[in-house]
Amino acid sequence: MAAGATTLLDQAVLNIAVPSMRQSLGAGAADVQWIVAGYSLAFGLALVPGGSLGDLHGRKRLFLVGVAVFLLAGVTAATGGGPGTLIAARLVQGAAAGLVNSQVIGTLQDVFHGVDRGRALGLYAVTAGVASALGPPLGGVLVAGLGPEAGWRCCLLLSAPCAVTTLTLAARWLPPPRRTARDSRLDILGLGVACGCTLTLMVPFIRTPGSGGEALGWGVAVCTLAAALVVHQRLRVGGGRQPLVHPALTSSRHYVLGTGVAMAQFGSSIAATLVLTVFLQDGLGLSALLTAAVAFPAAAAMGVSSALAWRLVRRIGPRTVTVGLTLGIGAALAGAAVALQVPSAGLPIALAATQLLSGVAGGLSVSPNQTEVLRHAPAEAAGVGGGILQMAQRIAAAVCLSAVPAVYWHTASGDGRPRAAYALASCVCAGLLAVALVLSLLRRAATPSGPSTPASAKGTPPAPKEAVPHAEPPRPESDC
């Protein structure tokens, strides 16, 4: 939990400091995109290799190395004197965060079983969501209290004491490393093709292509690498060797559709937070502290609703995710309407109300969906299954952190109306959540009806069935 909070808080807290960081370093728009989205790029690239290595060689040493590198890279980023240093440090830090988080998911899958596994995975999702939501308020307090120059640097240093604490506790309490994969041979070629495919997909959204021909070239490269990966994985399965992506993952509609839900929801959430920050500070001229106050209700509401989501899960089962996504769409559209209609004096309060609704929506959708997805990852591919889920989310984050703010900046600079630009960006985020809602409904439709699972004791979510390798596991009534 500490590792998840440390690595996800680090990115979220920087979003609110982007305007002051850009002014302090004299960074251009492309530099800012690499600083913010490059973290997600490196994070995503490291997840699947990290999960595979953890499955093969044990997780504790990889976890400790990842946290240590994350800490050193964070200090380097905070003390950097130019955009280039900061970009390089953030790339290294993102890769370390990916290595750490792939071990987190794998460790939870290794150590816990039955009811305990469901609760542990749910708590991890809650911790990650609340840490992401708390980032903007904490960043706003630091920038307001320490000034623009020292404020953004302290935002990057905020994760340092958390990393030191995590490293100390992990060295003592994490279980000894053990191999969980049956085949000790790492699929090096598969790893290389997967990393190349991920990189080729994410880079065009971080740096805008110079022409339509260049964009087409990137698209062709992605399709080619993806096809090569599929062929390579099938050949390994046909030859009796362990593939990079476990067959039980790709054959599970629940896992595939749930990962799609997580991608759309995570991308929409993280892009909406950045656009809100830029709109309030650059568009309306509000202080970082007032911006933090507007963003804080989302963090508080997400913490409360995440803790209580299991009650709704026990009553309506998988429809909890549908309810959360529907509320999220309503919150995004309400934010667009508020930006266009509410006078300037009451706009911060009105936006805070929409953030409150958005936080409730996130708490109801994030944890139940992630728990359901990871429940379908077999034990011998626990690290890879968690890594693929998080890699998919990081791909979505890199794409959305470039595309959605680009919509805002283009509209705001074109007609000089930041309110209209924020409304349009909010509608884009609502569209992403609508995609997640459709995928969630498809997953629900693909679930065969069966006998319900008796409710467990008060305060304990129903026990998830253990995943069976190479087969779709039976599904309990609830998401948790």
Side-chain angles (χ1 to χ4, degrees):
M1 299 305 101
T6 299
T7 53
L8 295 171
L9 176 66
D10 182 80
Q11 181 171 21
V13 77
L14 183 62
N15 286 343
I16 205 166
V18 164
S20 58
M21 178 190 66
R22 184 176 182 180
Q23 181 179 3
S24 173
L25 295 177
D31 295 327
V32 172
Q33 282 185 309
W34 274 106
I35 291 170
V36 175
Y39 182 89
S40 286
L41 170 67
F43 198 126
L45 285 174
L47 284 166
V48 172
S52 295
L53 291 171
D55 290 338
L56 292 172
H57 303 294
R59 312 193 193 282
K60 182 172 184 176
R61 285 188 292 269
L62 293 172
F63 184 98
L64 296 176
V65 169
V67 174
V69 173
F70 178 89
L71 172 62
L72 295 176
V75 174
T76 302
T79 56
T85 302
L86 189 54
I87 290 170
R90 291 291 288 173
L91 288 172
V92 174
Q93 195 174 24
L99 179 63
V100 170
N101 277 271
S102 58
Q103 309 317 315
V104 170
I105 293 293
T107 299
L108 294 182
Q109 298 275 63
D110 293 344
V111 173
F112 298 103
H113 304 279
V115 173
D116 289 338
R117 177 183 288 180
R119 296 176 67 181
L121 292 173
L123 182 57
Y124 171 76
V126 170
T127 302
V130 173
S132 298
L134 278 175
L138 290 175
V141 171
L142 289 174
V143 173
L146 301 175
E149 173 65 29
W152 71 264
R153 296 184 184 275
C154 286
C155 285
L156 290 174
L157 282 175
L158 184 63
S159 61
C162 301
V164 171
T165 303
T166 302
L167 194 62
T168 303
L169 295 177
R172 180 175 181 181
W173 292 110
L174 276 186
R178 65 184 180 90
R179 184 171 63 87
T180 58
R182 296 172 181 173
D183 191 341
S184 61
R185 294 170 295 178
L186 184 62
D187 183 6
I188 300 296
L189 180 58
L191 280 176
V193 176
C195 290
C197 187
T198 305
L199 184 64
T200 306
L201 178 63
M202 296 171 75
V203 165
F205 290 94
I206 297 178
R207 56 174 298 274
T208 304
S211 64
E214 184 180 347
L216 180 61
W218 283 106
V220 171
V222 170
C223 293
T224 302
L225 289 171
L229 180 61
V230 171
V231 171
H232 173 70
Q233 295 298 284
R234 289 182 176 177
L235 289 175
R236 284 187 68 89
V237 172
R241 294 174 293 173
Q242 182 72 25
L244 175 66
V245 181
H246 199 280
L249 301 179
T250 55
S251 64
S252 170
R253 293 188 66 183
H254 286 80
Y255 184 87
V256 173
L257 292 173
T259 299
V261 172
M263 289 180 69
Q265 194 278 334
F266 187 77
S268 172
S269 174
I270 197 168
T273 301
L274 180 57
V275 169
L276 176 67
T277 297
V278 175
F279 170 59
L280 292 177
Q281 294 190 59
D282 288 350
L284 301 183
L286 301 184
S287 66
L289 187 60
L290 187 54
T291 301
V294 172
F296 179 74
M302 187 169 187
V304 174
S305 64
S306 295
L308 299 177
W310 65 269
R311 296 178 181 269
L312 190 59
V313 168
R314 291 180 62 189
R315 290 179 177 274
I316 65 175
R319 290 189 293 273
T320 303
V321 179
T322 304
V323 171
L325 293 172
T326 303
L327 287 176
I329 294 171
L333 294 177
V338 162
L340 293 175
Q341 301 295 331
V342 176
S344 299
L347 187 56
I349 296 177
L351 286 175
T354 65
Q355 289 299 296
L356 181 69
L357 181 59
S358 178
V360 172
L364 293 179
S365 58
V366 173
S367 176
N369 180 68
Q370 183 162 320
T371 303
E372 174 72 4
V373 173
L374 294 175
R375 190 175 60 83
H376 290 270
E380 65 268 27
V384 174
I388 291 175
L389 172 62
Q390 293 197 64
M391 181 186 70
Q393 290 179 304
R394 288 295 153 179
I395 291 174
V399 171
C400 294
L401 280 172
S402 296
V404 179
V407 170
Y408 171 83
W409 281 318
H410 177 74
T411 306
S413 61
D415 56 16
R417 294 188 300 165
R419 284 174 176 253
Y422 177 75
L424 180 58
S426 296
C427 288
V428 173
C429 292
L432 291 170
L433 291 176
V435 172
L437 178 61
V438 170
L439 295 176
S440 178
L441 293 174
L442 289 175
R443 178 177 62 181
R444 177 62 179 166
T447 302
S449 59
S452 60
T453 300
S456 56
K458 183 176 180 181
T460 303
K465 303 283 182 68
E466 292 299 317
V468 180
H470 307 288
E472 182 77 5
R475 182 191 166 278
E477 177 184 22
S478 79
D479 273 321
C480 293

